[in-house]
Amino acid sequence: MTFRILPSRSFSKNRGFSLLEVLISIVVLSFGVLGAAGLQATSLQANREARLQATAARFGEELAELMRGNKGVSIKTTNATDNPYLIALKSGDSDPTNPNCGYPGKSACTTGVAIAQRDIYEWWKRVNTELPGARVSVCEDNSPYETSSGLPQWTCSSSGGVLVLKIGWTRANTLRGATGTNATSTTGANSGAFDKALRPGIVFTVTPGSST
């Protein structure tokens, strides 16, 4: 008599259950890897924004020092002809006037206005290169922030006798692809205003000093 050993049903169930466990483990691991990748991307974006913020602050401090060093010109708050430090520039605009002096092989800048023009020309070149979608304004302003929202604004009051430096840039970490109202509204911090440089990212009060 010949005997055949039939496969155990319980053994077949165990094999299927083990495969299901492996599949579940793979799915759980995949979610974990995706979460880690998202965290890494967010961290990189945050680091980039912090770097741009620090860069803008450094540029603001640099221009403030240049203005203090040429206070005979920078204390004038009337117009850009007398005070070339009074600027309103954004990425894509024509470069400021370059006096073509004070460079190797060129004559020295002999007037405060020429020095200011050279300062702004060189400074804006670097700002426009290092800050994406850069926008800068230096103006007389006694209300750089909106009264209702407390958010910074580009509009200048042209009064108060205080020079304010405002710097903005395009931020790519929130509403990079914003269109329509989200790309143009300045009513809230999450409506695209900061991302499109529709509001200043940094506001400096500049004190050139006295004329004496």
Side-chain angles (χ1 to χ4, degrees):
M1 182 178 293
T2 303
F3 295 94
R4 290 189 305 168
I5 301 176
L6 298 176
S8 172
R9 291 183 179 180
S10 61
F11 179 69
S12 298
K13 289 181 179 179
N14 289 337
R15 289 181 61 189
F17 184 71
S18 297
L19 179 59
L20 181 60
E21 284 182 323
V22 171
L23 292 175
I24 292 175
S25 299
I26 292 174
V27 171
V28 173
L29 180 61
S30 298
F31 278 113
V33 171
L34 289 174
L39 183 62
Q40 179 72 8
T42 301
S43 176
L44 290 175
Q45 290 175 348
N47 287 339
R48 175 183 180 276
E49 184 58 29
R51 176 176 57 81
L52 292 176
Q53 188 88 10
T55 299
R58 173 170 54 83
F59 279 129
E61 293 174 352
E62 179 183 339
L63 183 58
E65 290 302 320
L66 290 172
M67 293 174 68
R68 292 188 184 102
N70 192 11
K71 63 182 181 181
V73 171
S74 58
I75 60 172
K76 299 176 181 179
T77 58
T78 53
N79 56 67
T81 301
D82 297 328
N83 182 1
Y85 293 114
L86 298 176
I87 56 175
L89 298 169
K90 62 180 182 297
S91 183
D93 288 348
S94 300
D95 290 332
T97 300
N98 180 9
N100 199 26
C101 63
Y103 300 107
K106 301 293 182 179
S107 61
C109 295
T110 57
T111 66
V113 170
I115 292 173
Q117 289 175 337
R118 186 202 60 193
D119 288 343
I120 287 296
Y121 180 83
E122 295 180 344
W123 182 82
W124 170 246
K125 281 284 192 180
R126 288 183 285 110
V127 170
N128 200 25
T129 299
E130 297 190 35
L131 294 179
R135 182 175 176 180
V136 176
S137 175
V138 179
C139 60
E140 184 184 7
D141 193 4
N142 60 2
S143 56
Y145 300 93
E146 288 184 352
T147 304
S148 57
S149 65
L151 295 173
Q153 59 182 348
W154 287 110
T155 304
C156 296
S157 64
S158 299
S159 61
V162 178
L163 290 182
V164 176
L165 165 62
K166 306 174 183 181
I167 304 177
W169 61 93
T170 299
R171 301 185 178 187
N173 63 333
T174 51
L175 296 177
R176 185 174 187 178
T179 58
T181 302
N182 284 334
T184 58
S185 174
T186 60
T187 58
N190 295 320
S191 60
F194 288 98
D195 304 271
K196 302 298 182 179
L198 299 180
R199 287 191 182 276
I202 286 182
V203 176
F204 273 86
T205 299
V206 182
T207 306
S210 65
S211 59
T212 57

